[in-house]
Amino acid sequence: MVDGSRLPLHGNRDPHGTPPLPDGDGVPVIPREPDPPTARQKLVTALVLMIVVVGVVFGMLR
């Protein structure tokens, strides 16, 4: 009793849901503002900048 007119079953298809979106038509991504730097990130940035400035000054005095 095999009927050849039946469509094959798909494992993840919801028969009552919306059809899949075509390629390139996804949900729009809204860019968000980056998080402000934390106190630790500011401290590390200040230390790196200070080390670079001290290195440049020592290089010029040498």
Side-chain angles (χ1 to χ4, degrees):
M1 198 165 230
V2 176
D3 187 8
S5 64
R6 299 186 93 188
L7 295 174
L9 296 176
H10 297 281
N12 295 327
R13 188 161 295 172
D14 181 10
H16 303 290
T18 60
L21 296 172
D23 291 339
D25 290 343
V27 176
V29 177
I30 300 170
R32 66 179 190 98
E33 293 293 320
D35 294 332
T38 62
R40 182 182 177 113
Q41 290 171 332
K42 290 178 184 178
L43 179 64
V44 169
T45 302
L47 288 174
V48 169
L49 184 61
M50 186 175 68
I51 290 170
V52 169
V53 168
V54 167
V56 169
V57 169
F58 279 156
M60 291 184 77
L61 293 177
R62 196 165 182 219

